[in-house]
Amino acid sequence: MVSFTFGSSKKMTFLGLAGPLALLTSLSSYAFIGSSTGQPASVAVPLTSAVTKGLSENTSDKKEQWMWWKPVGSASLSWGFWKIYDSELRTPAGVYNPGSPLPLALVITYDRDIDADDLLDATVEQWEHLGFSADTIASWDPQMKNAWPNVKEGDRLIYVLESSGGAFFYQPKQGQPKPYATLKDIPLAQAFADIWLSPKTAYPSLRLALIGGK
């Protein structure tokens, strides 16, 4: 696993998936979504048709196949002396091909407590970095409010992206992963994974480690 550490001389936001988030005022309020430059991101029951809390039994069975997929690459994110999270990219064959990347799963294990609102703020910041328009982000923001829970140290969040959309799973430190929410809006579902995997990501070194150094 590759580890990335960022000094305290920079202001950061952490999404990491909180920005992998908001500007640090205390480490417990930061969330990081996959970054190699130390910039954070975020977040979140039934809201709109684009985000559905929970999954049907059939959908859950299909998307939970991620548990048997093979790892492509992994990396950990630290800020100063504090590790924020470990991240891992999985695919059915254990290979990531940018030309045909789906399906895939991003598995994030947190080493800090992170509030869902901070995760959401961080997500928005990362989308701004990727160049999405203010109008597009504004349409996505309310759809994401129920996508992530508050996380505690040792919890895992898993994001599975397929051609049909995205799905979030939440696994408490002492428990099994369970479906949490789905993203039916295809561009939104892809944009969330882009925070870590787009060539324009704010975290190019972390992306390189996740996709196997290719």
Side-chain angles (χ1 to χ4, degrees), residues 2 7 12 16 23 40 53 74 79 92 96 110 117 129 144 148 155-156 178 194 196 202 208-209:
V2 177
M12 301 187 201
L23 186 62
K53 179 72 174 296
S74 60
W79 187 78
Y96 177 80
Y110 287 90
D117 289 337
H129 172 84
M144 289 295 297
W148 281 11
D155 290 355
R156 290 206 302 176
K178 294 184 178 180
D194 284 347
W196 292 268
L208 188 64

Side-chain angles (χ1 to χ4, degrees), residues 27-39:
L27 279 176
S28 62
S29 69
Y30 290 86
F32 307 71
I33 270 189
S35 150
S36 67
T37 59
Q39 296 182 345

Side-chain angles (χ1 to χ4, degrees), residues 43-45 47 51 116-117 120 140-148:
V43 163
V45 222
L47 243 148
V51 177
D117 289 337
L120 179 56
W140 288 344
D141 187 55
Q143 299 179 43
M144 289 295 297
K145 290 188 182 296
N146 291 294
W148 281 11

